[in-house]
Amino acid sequence: MPIPLVNSIATWFLKKRFHQMELFLKYPNEVQLELLHTLLEKAKNTEFGKTYDFASINNYKTFSERIPVRSYEDYESMIERSRLGENNVFWPTPIKWFAKSSGTTSAKSKFIPVSDESLEDCHFAAGKDLLCMYLNNNEDSLLFTGKSLRLGGSKELYKENGTSFGDLSAIIIDNMPFWADFSSTPSSEVSLMSDWEFKMKAIVQETIQENVTSLAGVPSWMLVLLNQVLETTGNESLFEIWNNLEVYFHGGVNFDPYRDQYSKILPGDSFKYYEIYNASEGFFAIQDRNDSSELLLMLDYGIFYEFIPMDTYGNENEKVIPLSEVEIGQNYAVIITTNAGLWRYKIGDTVRFTSVNPYRIKVSGRTKHHINVFGEELIIENTEEALRKTAKTTNCEIVEYTVAPIFMKDKEKGAHEWIIEFKKQPDSLKEFTHILDQNLQHVNSDYEAKRYNDTTLNILQIRLARKGLFYDWLKKNNKLGGQHKIPRLSNKRTYVDELLQLNTIKSFSS
């Protein structure tokens, strides 16, 4: 199909969709409340709906007072019944798919329900909206002249009791219309391979022959793939292989630690980066402007949003607020009610609002991935920003990292222990440590207070990770590929101690 015709069709869809988006942009809180009523009405005859008498809930106040906020553990028994084929437990339409995720906070598998409605009205709708927004901002795009290189999870779809489970990406790929395969690479057969390392080699061989115009996947794993592509072809720039490559749609982890490495293999200012915010539980926000780190919260995907201010999270004064009450700059835990039957569900993420007209956010971290052993309230957003500044100042490149506390012992003060894998080490690790510590104090006043004159915390300690340490740790824990991430921050030493042991064992054996 000629490109002008393709772009004309895309523009038609774009304008149609923009009319719909204008509604939630203009009346966001009204759209959200109407959505809540729709969800309650649809699920009122489910077991869950009858338990909490959804039929009599006619306002947000009653909804928030009657239905408790829940974690996965609170849902697990109901989800297991649904996985065994029981219907109408928490959602009226049969749940045929479950997105399997171990998350980053537990080795235990989670099975997140994916309904027909959430697949079509949330995940697939978001994919279309992402393209619409990108094309609206880049009218001269040649995106449709080639294919999108998609990098999904490594899990196969397993079928039990009439239901299926696997990585969300595998569920989406398995349910895409047949024609979608023509615009994507690698093929579904390769995309759904279960052996991650074998799959990566197969993807390289298949995609280097294609005209790739866009990339889509988690930055950490995509970088591994792209470096393999360059190693296989002997090229230094991806543009030497795919000269029409124009955009990378990324999500799953903070992109900042990887930005410099991407800039080296994708040199030049014309290449675009578009961020998304999605998870097994739903698709939440999309970057709607070029060169912006802010994400537009999508309010008509069948997801009703609530938030817990992080300064009250987990304590006796914890409070839950609707979207209409959020404030710019505050850090919030995200609570969702969805068209897959998750009611007031903690997804484990934290966000910070950068705008309330329209509602735009930045993902700031995980509720369980922070360090507050000494009252320092260190979150992932702090460490990513401090590392970015430090790496730039010291001219080094960082592959991965994790941080844990060094607990006080006897009269010894506490500290933070960092394990960092460098692609390019700083000239002086002592200087790097000092600058990183200063940058952390600059971005976090609580950390600064605890570091003042070494009052509570000593200066941080850095352990050098050998090449491939984090990859080996993920492989050892069966977490290669997909949405699996390195746990950045923890109040416990579990991850750090495992990594240090693996670092030592491998060093001795090499």
Side-chain angles (χ1 to χ4, degrees), residues 89-145:
V89 180
F90 44 77
W91 190 248
T93 58
I95 305 290
K96 294 178 284 188
W97 305 289
F98 294 84
K100 183 180 179 182
S101 170
S102 62
T104 52
T105 57
S106 172
K108 184 177 180 180
S109 294
K110 298 178 182 179
F111 295 90
I112 306 300
V114 180
S115 66
D116 287 340
E117 293 88 346
S118 64
L119 195 63
E120 291 290 337
D121 300 335
C122 183
H123 295 290
F124 285 164
K128 296 172 188 173
D129 282 353
L130 177 60
L131 292 176
C132 282
M133 291 177 185
Y134 177 75
L135 291 172
N136 182 61
N137 295 331
N138 303 278
E139 295 180 353
D140 59 347
S141 169
L142 298 176
L143 201 64
F144 294 115
T145 61

Side-chain angles (χ1 to χ4, degrees), residues 257-304:
Y258 305 97
R259 191 176 297 278
D260 288 343
Q261 294 181 66
Y262 273 90
S263 295
K264 289 188 176 181
I265 61 177
L266 290 163
D269 299 328
S270 60
F271 189 78
K272 304 277 191 309
Y273 296 92
Y274 263 63
E275 185 173 353
I276 60 174
Y277 174 29
N278 67 330
S280 298
E281 294 87 352
F283 207 118
F284 311 126
I286 299 173
Q287 178 181 325
D288 63 321
R289 299 173 295 178
N290 285 340
D291 305 315
S292 171
S293 60
E294 300 177 6
L295 308 177
L296 180 68
L297 192 63
M298 305 303 289
L299 304 179
D300 62 351
Y301 286 171
I303 299 174
F304 179 77

Side-chain angles (χ1 to χ4, degrees), residues 448-463:
E448 181 183 32
K450 302 302 180 293
R451 282 285 298 121
Y452 180 72
N453 286 337
D454 297 339
T455 304
T456 305
L457 287 174
N458 286 326
I459 191 168
L460 60 91
Q461 296 182 20
I462 293 179
R463 308 295 183 195

